Amino acid sequence: MVYARPRILVSSCLGFEDCDIRGQKHKSLLVDELKGFAELIPVCPEMAMGLGSPRQSIRIVLKNDEPRLIQPTTG
């Protein structure tokens, strides 16, 4: 029986692009192993929403019981 290769979204900074907060990528043994078994789709949500790299950190916080995306250095 032949099975379709699963598609898995993976953070782009895990071996694909220099896009983490410091403008780097990271080695991931798990991602390297998955490459032989699945179609990996690299995604960087921060860059997709227009943030550059390197960049200041962002956090999701609750404000008045509502989730908000905040950059701590600028508020």
Side-chain angles (χ1 to χ4, degrees), residues 4-63:
R5 285 173 59 106
R7 291 180 172 172
I8 302 174
L9 294 179
V10 178
S11 181
S12 294
C13 65
L14 294 178
F16 294 95
E17 294 181 50
D18 297 326
C19 65
D20 80 347
I21 192 169
R22 292 173 194 84
Q24 300 172 347
K25 66 180 160 194
H26 305 275
K27 181 89 173 138
S28 169
L29 297 177
L30 176 60
V31 169
D32 288 345
E33 287 185 30
L34 286 173
K35 288 178 181 177
F37 301 99
E39 178 185 351
L40 303 183
I41 303 167
V43 176
C44 180
E46 293 89 351
M47 292 190 77
M49 63 186 251
L51 297 177
S53 179
R55 62 182 163 273
Q56 297 293 318
S57 66
I58 57 175
R59 302 278 185 264
I60 299 174
V61 299
L62 285 178
K63 188 172 184 177

